[in-house]
Amino acid sequence: MDGTSEVGLRINGKPFSRVIDNRTTLLDLLREQAGVTGPKKGCDHGQCGACTVLLDGDRRVNACLLLAVSLDGADVTTVEGLADGDRLHPVQQAFVDHDGFQCGFCTPGQICSAVAAIAEARAGWPSVVTPPDTPPGPVEPTAAEIRERMSGNLCRCGAYVNIVAAVREVAR
Amino acid sequence: MTTLPRVTGEAVARIEARDKVTGAASYAADHPLDGLTHAWPVTATVARGDITAVDDSEALRDPAVLAVLTHANAPRLADAGDPMVAVLRSPHVAHHGQIVALAVAETLEAARAAAGAVRVTYDEQPHDVVLTADRPGLYTPDEVNAGHPADRRRGDFDAAYAASEITVDAVYEVTPLHNHPMEPHAATAVWDGDALTVFDSNQGSTVVRSTLAALFEVDEADVRVVSEHVGGGFGSKGTPRPHVALAALAAKAVGRPVRLALPRNRIAAVTGHRAPTIQRVRLGADADGHIDALAHETVTQTSTLTEFVEQASVSSRMMYASPHSLTTHRVARLDVPSPSWMRAPGECPGMFALESAMDELASACGLDPVELRIRNEPPVEPDSGRPFSSRHLVDCLREGARRFGWHDRDPRPAVGRDGPLLIGSGVAASTYPVWVFPSHAEAYAGSDGRYEVRVNATDIGTGARTVLTQIAADALGVPLDLVRVSIGRGDLPAGSVAGGSSGTASWGWPVHKACTDLRQRVSDAGGHVPDGGLFVRADTEQEAGGGTEYSRHAFGAQFAEVQVDTVTGEVRVRRMLGVFAAGHILNPRTARSQFIGGMTMGLGMALTEGSFLDPEFGDFTERDLASYHVAACADVPEIDVHWIDEDDPHLNPMGSKGIGEIGIVGAAAALANAVHHATGMRVRRLPIHPDTILLGL
Ligand code: FES
Ligand code: FES
């Protein structure tokens, strides 16, 4: 049928290319075509963050809000791509250590989001709770900063208290 | 033989933690299958009526679309006795949002577009969806949820109330609330002849299996249900919901595997919700705060499909000494989506009302709210006269007050100020009953020194898999890493639902029994497991099936500090603290997460979550996560949780009470009471939104 395009991207370091329906979101491409089911579909509308993945390094995006055809050549990292072999990424390890989840459904998105949030704060990006007189440079990862920066990822199990503890430990 | 230190009581990390942080844990919609197809629901756009025609011609134009199933062409399901899963059986529409057709296609994109192209015509009938406390048609149900009687009367409430020195008479309202587990209800189904396999998201696959067998008239042995990881449920997956029946039906119709993950904005209408309640509470006391008369009268609604009655007045039957008591439920049968269980049905909204009223009584008596509760501690359960198996509410209140610094506060309302912010604190009690249901388990000892335990428990995020492994290891007297516990499959020994905070007790008991027995057999065999292993089975049909001469409940006390912005009307929580008494805590790490999770959901109930049935179109206006506000990370402060370990011999071999729900009970009242202390304003209708505050200040 018409309305298809060829798209090629890298998913967790591996090339993936295919002719796809133009309506395909990045999330559905990952889950239904590439067999990468770590990113979860909680809402499909950019409201929950369960689908959060990293684009071209550590830019966090909601994969459900991006059309895959717009991402030709992109480099996508999902929760599956964070560990170094058997060694968990420090954020993953901190989530285990602090019991930063219960059902685990929001967790892949929380972890990707946390990786990026820590990078954003280190790069000196202010958030709405950063005091206006903060000098340039890395933003101190206070609990308030982490709560604000992690608020795009809902957790219905209510693991926020432990998520904040986990992210703080790595961000320090 | 050396005795190993016990692992129950240890903060063991979740067994599946690594799978959950690496994305390896597979949920219902994560299983790859050859030839998989996708389904998308079409939902009713009228609140009551009959389908007169379905035009699928446009939908079927795309060759990728395999079928549009409706009541007219779908294979007919047998009656399994549960209207929630009686899908595509009739042209009648009982509520807006009911699934009236299902598009099935090669791809998700095609299925979604096809569903959007289906045109359904209705003979629309007038609908009735508005609940008020004085509407016509309110009736007294035979019983309310959990089998409680609708009404109870003790003594002479009217006379005692009329004679009371101090009275409180107030109406509290809770809007409909939605469970919204982060994992939408999903199932992947595939038939092989008469054998059905489904990967399903549920809180108990034993019942999913028997229900599917009944719906499709096949042998239970031929139905495989896999639910290894479940992304939360909070009651909304407690019994089979329509998604699993539809996925299996569609797979049968197209002869291919089918996946159906309900779109988020369809979930509220078809998977259950907490029904709204209007609760009138009257308290009559002497000047010292001793309650003589207590009335708790609940008005709520159910649907035309099912009768589910939120038992909001029930906790008032056991909380406080009350010689004269009246507790009732009235219900309206409306053209609305069917209500169902949501975390602590009954206790959660009911204790918002009772614990708010207790705060009002404390004010009216000029008493400290902690002291008021202590003064009304009953010696036995007021309603039944049964002794409590254990009750440490007073200890929770005292310990919580001490840790929170409660007694340092100025008790006068509206005196705490920090610039434009008003600061206040509140307290409320929590309670949740002890439930335990019969379950079965098997334990196997291998000649290699390893053990396998099988029980159809479901881990919806509670840590069930982990705590069952701890229970098994202790009963076997072996290290944790020699025990493997299999859960989450319908063909395992039958387990009860992950609901009513009953899981650990219900599944842990037969596990304990089987493992204790197996340990004895290994010992009888001289400590050597013969080739071929040793195997035992156990169930608790006897132990868990009957009643008890004790009133068994967990208790807790919650404290909260809020700030109320006098400019914006926004309420923000500064800190929360809970102290609970729930038997032995078997895993402090996962238990703490359960308590905090419940309190967090209670915070959402108090401040952010609310849903309204639109009288015109007859459905919820807040149907997705952008409009129905689940508390986000920035809404939730530090939450401090403690517990008092109870040694209660009247529970189960582990001595545990359930902990999954008690955290939500009382949280909203503690917050509303804190808002009162901050502002002097009593908010009796949740959620407490800025407009309420600004209009009231
Ligand atoms: S699934 Fe993408 S934000 Fe919810
Ligand atoms: S862990 Fe269940 S939604 Fe976050």
Side-chain angles (χ1 to χ4, degrees), chain B residues 190-487:
Chain B
V190 57
W191 288 90
D192 178 6
D194 273 345
L196 170 65
T197 299
V198 296
F199 300 92
D200 182 45
S201 178
N202 62 62
Q203 292 173 233
S205 55
T206 297
V207 179
V208 172
R209 181 182 190 228
S210 58
T211 303
L212 289 171
L215 286 173
F216 292 94
E217 298 174 283
V218 294
D219 260 2
E220 266 190 49
D222 286 333
V223 180
R224 224 180 119 224
V225 183
V226 182
S227 312
E228 244 206 289
H229 297 289
V230 177
F234 314 108
S236 73
K237 298 171 182 173
T239 52
R241 302 289 143 123
H243 66 281
V244 67
L246 286 164
L249 184 70
K252 193 163 192 76
V254 302
R256 303 256 302 265
V258 172
R259 176 174 297 155
L260 171 61
L262 291 181
R264 176 62 64 184
N265 61 8
R266 310 300 165 92
I267 285 176
V270 298
T271 67
H273 63 279
R274 191 192 304 287
T277 48
I278 304 168
Q279 305 173 55
R280 181 179 184 197
V281 179
R282 284 175 288 167
L283 300 174
D286 66 19
D288 294 330
H290 298 108
I291 297 171
D292 194 36
L294 188 166
H296 192 157
E297 297 160 285
T298 295
V299 175
T300 184
Q301 72 191 33
T302 189
S303 73
T304 60
L305 290 175
T306 55
E307 184 186 80
F308 177 93
V309 185
E310 182 91 20
Q311 74 276 30
S313 302
V314 161
S315 38
S316 286
R317 295 174 183 165
M318 47 64 63
M319 267 314 278
Y320 298 114
S322 47
H324 303 277
S325 164
L326 170 71
T327 49
T328 67
H329 299 84
R330 297 291 174 270
V331 57
R333 203 179 264 284
L334 303 179
D335 302 310
V336 295
S338 297
S340 177
W341 300 320
M342 178 165 164
R343 204 171 199 166
E347 281 76 17
C348 173
M351 287 289 278
F352 163 65
L354 178 63
E355 291 300 291
S356 296
M358 287 298 279
D359 206 63
E360 302 207 36
L361 181 62
S363 299
C365 294
L367 262 183
D368 177 70
V370 169
E371 177 58 26
L372 175 73
R373 288 173 172 86
I374 293 172
R375 281 188 193 180
N376 286 289
E377 181 71 359
V380 292
E381 184 183 70
D383 203 46
S384 67
R386 291 180 301 176
F388 288 101
S389 67
S390 55
R391 174 169 168 134
H392 289 98
L393 173 58
V394 170
D395 305 74
C396 292
L397 284 162
R398 291 210 166 108
E399 176 72 0
R402 186 185 68 75
R403 288 181 178 272
F404 189 79
W406 176 257
H407 294 298
D408 303 339
R409 72 173 199 160
D410 183 335
R412 293 170 301 161
V415 294
R417 238 185 201 279
D418 178 1
L421 304 176
L422 297 172
I423 318 288
S425 53
V427 62
S430 308
T431 188
Y432 196 78
V434 170
W435 293 106
V436 58
F437 304 111
S439 290
H440 297 234
E442 295 168 358
Y444 172 81
S447 53
D448 59 354
R450 300 191 156 272
Y451 295 83
E452 174 154 7
V453 177
R454 294 152 48 87
V455 55
N456 192 18
T458 315
D459 194 334
I460 56 173
T462 53
R465 185 182 276 106
T466 309
V467 79
L468 290 173
T469 310
Q470 293 174 264
I471 292 167
D474 271 359
L476 290 164
V478 302
L480 207 60
D481 56 2
L482 292 182
V483 183
R484 195 186 120 87
V485 175
S486 295
I487 64 167

